[in-house]
Amino acid sequence: MLRTLLLALHSALAAESLVHFKHSILIDQYDLEGVEQFKVTKICDYGCHVWGSIPPGTEESAKNIHIDDDFFFNLAEIATMYEPSTLGKKPMYIDSADTIIIYNFNPNQTTTPLIIYVVSTRASDLNSMEIYDAHNFNRNVFPAKQITIMSPAPFTVTSPKDEKSGNSAVMRTTGFDDVEDSNKDGCFQLMTVGDSKTWPGFSVEVSSPLLSLAFDYKKYPDAFLHIATSMGITGQLNLATPGFVTSPGYIGCSSGDVFRSSLYSTKVAATITSTGNRHVYLNGDIHTDAAHPVDIIDLKTNNDYPMSGGPSSQSQELFTTGVAVNWNGAETSNSFALRYSSVVV
């Protein structure tokens, strides 16, 4: 009886930690840890799609995570459902259901890093997006559309400069249904790229479960871009090209929800440098308390410009050769994003 009550309490607390969007949710490993049955309500009442992502080497644990829709699919199967020609991820489809149940059959209900991404059929852009795993994404996009990249581990996304193909793109650490500027969840824009006859390329480091890019394929219908991922991040960034730094698990929407993974650090230590003096523009989406500020250090003067409080948008301008961004958010639900750009002075 006591064990049943403890499991029920754990399940109730876990439900509060879900990452919520208007028409989708993200489930992480800690939502399912110690829980035999995890119920998801309302999101599938008009039908839904379910995508999964797991790191290589965790398949045995994922085989014991089952999603019940009259019959069982395990997470290892869902996470490896791919389109053969592109390795784009295919979802499990669930017809109308008020409640779906996720079962954890692992011994003692242990878990390993995972993402379960449940999207209602009410979501926009279901027919114009592609979803990929970060650990095997290497694709020429033609024409470029909305792309979502998934991983419970940090990853790097790169796209080389292309003088022959113009395009523009916007990035957010959300699903495809919240990547556009018109999104309904108040999600912070991390970066815009391009909008000219040539593609400038980019390289960004991601410590979030999702990175989505929306390309202007209507304005640039013949764009042919190469995008690839590699696992891991370095924390060594180039100030000469726009980019961003975020806290681990950052989502950036008005709910303030944060994704969790045992593969994330609780700290941020990034260095953004250039070969000469630059006028640096920093804009932050800050959800931190005063005890856990985001420390922005001018590497030329060693001055510290902390940001905390919020949720709020905060900014800073510096004339410098480099910036360090440090943060220690151990055991908090705080989060932040800091986007940067610069010009030569």
Side-chain angles (χ1 to χ4, degrees):
M1 178 67 178
L2 177 60
R3 184 170 185 271
T4 301
L5 289 173
L6 288 173
L7 285 172
L9 176 61
H10 190 115
S11 181
L13 292 172
E16 293 303 315
S17 66
L18 289 172
V19 175
H20 293 87
F21 305 104
K22 184 174 177 61
H23 294 303
S24 58
I25 59 171
L26 283 175
I27 299 167
D28 66 36
Q29 69 185 95
Y30 296 107
D31 293 318
L32 306 182
E33 188 176 64
V35 178
E36 292 176 338
Q37 298 182 20
F38 188 88
K39 293 183 179 181
V40 178
T41 60
K42 297 182 180 180
I43 197 74
C44 295
D45 54 357
Y46 281 80
C48 62
H49 295 76
V50 181
W51 286 269
S53 183
I54 59 174
T58 63
E59 291 83 3
E60 290 306 310
S61 175
K63 287 178 182 177
N64 292 321
I65 304 294
H66 287 240
I67 299 175
D68 182 17
D69 178 42
D70 297 327
F71 51 90
F72 285 96
F73 281 85
N74 71 61
L75 180 58
E77 293 172 326
I78 296 170
T80 53
M81 293 166 55
Y82 297 116
E83 294 288 350
S85 61
T86 65
L87 290 183
K89 295 179 70 64
K90 296 195 294 185
M92 166 189 173
Y93 179 73
I94 296 176
D95 203 357
S96 176
D98 290 335
T99 301
I100 62 172
I101 302 175
I102 301 172
Y103 294 88
N104 185 354
F105 293 130
N106 281 301
N108 299 315
Q109 285 70 55
T110 58
T111 56
T112 52
L114 59 85
I115 300 172
I116 300 175
Y117 180 35
V118 186
V119 182
S120 169
T121 55
R122 292 172 170 173
S124 60
D125 304 312
L126 272 169
N127 297 318
S128 62
M129 60 79 198
E130 299 172 354
I131 297 183
Y132 296 90
D133 273 322
H135 66 259
N136 62 7
F137 179 45
N138 189 339
R139 175 131 162 78
N140 291 317
V141 182
F142 180 81
K145 299 181 180 180
Q146 291 169 323
I147 293 173
T148 296
I149 305 168
M150 303 176 64
S151 177
F155 59 97
T156 299
V157 187
T158 58
S159 180
K161 184 176 182 178
D162 190 335
E163 298 286 352
K164 299 179 181 179
S165 183
N167 210 320
S168 65
V170 61
M171 297 185 200
R172 285 181 168 87
T173 45
T174 66
F176 58 86
D177 53 322
D178 270 312
V179 66
E180 301 282 3
D181 290 339
S182 58
N183 72 83
K184 305 298 183 182
D185 289 306
C187 304
F188 185 71
Q189 183 195 103
L190 286 170
M191 189 170 165
T192 57
V193 186
D195 200 14
S196 67
K197 294 181 179 179
T198 63
W199 175 245
F202 65 86
S203 178
V204 295
E205 297 190 348
V206 183
S207 292
S208 298
L210 305 174
L211 180 72
S212 290
L213 301 89
F215 295 92
D216 192 346
Y217 63 93
K218 293 182 178 179
K219 186 174 181 180
Y220 301 101
D222 298 321
F224 190 95
L225 306 174
H226 184 79
I227 305 173
T229 53
S230 58
M231 297 311 298
I233 59 176
T234 66
Q236 304 297 312
L237 305 172
N238 183 4
L239 191 56
T241 58
F244 55 83
V245 178
T246 75
S247 55
Y250 173 82
I251 300 298
C253 300
S254 57
S255 66
D257 292 342
V258 176
F259 186 85
R260 302 162 302 171
S261 171
S262 58
L263 297 176
Y264 289 157
S265 171
T266 58
K267 299 180 180 180
V268 172
T271 304
I272 317 166
T273 57
S274 66
T275 56
N277 286 311
R278 305 186 77 89
H279 186 178
V280 180
Y281 303 88
L282 303 164
N283 183 253
D285 178 41
I286 307 299
H287 300 251
T288 68
D289 55 57
H292 301 87
V294 182
D295 288 312
I296 300 168
I297 301 170
D298 184 334
L299 295 179
K300 187 176 180 180
T301 65
N302 210 36
N303 290 335
D304 187 0
Y305 301 89
M307 293 183 179
S308 65
S312 64
S313 178
Q314 300 181 32
S315 61
Q316 182 69 52
E317 293 186 33
L318 300 171
F319 291 87
T320 185
T321 57
V323 176
V325 180
N326 298 320
W327 180 76
N328 185 354
E331 299 180 0
T332 76
S333 59
N334 295 341
S335 66
F336 80 91
L338 188 71
R339 64 187 179 206
Y340 60 86
S341 60
S342 67
V343 295
V344 176
V345 294

